[in-house]
Amino acid sequence: MTSSNWFFVVALVVVAALMAESVRQLRRRWLLVKVEGVSMEPALRDGQEVLAKRTRRIATGDIVVVAAPDPQLGWAEATRAKAPWWVKRVAAGPGEAMPGSGGPVPPGHYFLLSDNPVGEDSRRHGPCPGNLIVGSVIRSF
C-alpha cells in the first residue's frame, strides 16, 4: 500500500469514529418517543412523536417523558432501564399543592397528569419520583 492509500484508510476510520461519537452524544441529550394512546389528547395524538431534551429542570406545565410505573406497585418499582416511556404533563412540583388532595407534593417528586381524564397518571399511582423523569418535550411531530 502506498502512503496515500494509508492516509485514505486512516481518514475513513477517523470520520467513522467521529460520526459514531456524534450519534452517541445526540442520544445522550435527546430522546424521540412515540405517543401511544389517547391520554394526552388534544395536545398530543396517538401515533405522534415527540422530541424531548434530557434535563433535570422541570417546571409545572411542562410535558415530560417519564418511565412508566409498575401496573400493580406504582412508581416505587419503576426503573428507567426496563419501563416503557409515558408522556405526561407536570401538574405540580415539589412543595406545590397536589390537584385533588391539596396536600403538598413530597420533595423530589412531581404530580403528573394526562390531558385527557381517561389516562393513567399520578391520580392512580401517586407522585412520581423526579429521577424517573427523563426529559422535557420541546417539539411534537
Side-chain angles (χ1 to χ4, degrees), residues 6-7 9-10 20 27 32 36 40 47 53 56 67 72 89 98 105-106 112 118 124 133 135 137:
W6 278 106
F7 177 76
V9 170
V10 169
R27 290 183 62 134
L32 190 63
E36 295 180 5
M40 287 304 291
K53 182 177 183 182
R56 291 280 169 224
Q72 281 79 33
R89 189 174 305 274
M98 285 190 278
V105 176
L112 306 178
V118 300
R124 176 172 181 215
I133 296 177
V137 171

Side-chain angles (χ1 to χ4, degrees), residues 32-105:
L32 190 63
V33 176
K34 186 174 184 178
V35 176
E36 295 180 5
V38 297
S39 71
M40 287 304 291
E41 286 186 357
L44 300 170
R45 295 180 315 280
D46 183 36
Q48 265 187 300
E49 290 184 325
V50 295
L51 180 64
K53 182 177 183 182
R54 295 178 189 264
T55 183
R56 291 280 169 224
R57 294 183 199 160
I58 306 298
T60 301
D62 286 356
I63 296 176
V64 296
V65 175
V66 60
D70 181 272
Q72 281 79 33
L73 303 174
W75 300 110
E77 295 300 319
T79 62
R80 287 173 68 166
K82 297 178 185 176
W85 301 124
W86 272 9
V87 179
K88 301 295 174 191
R89 189 174 305 274
V90 177
E96 297 176 348
M98 285 190 278
S101 74
V105 176

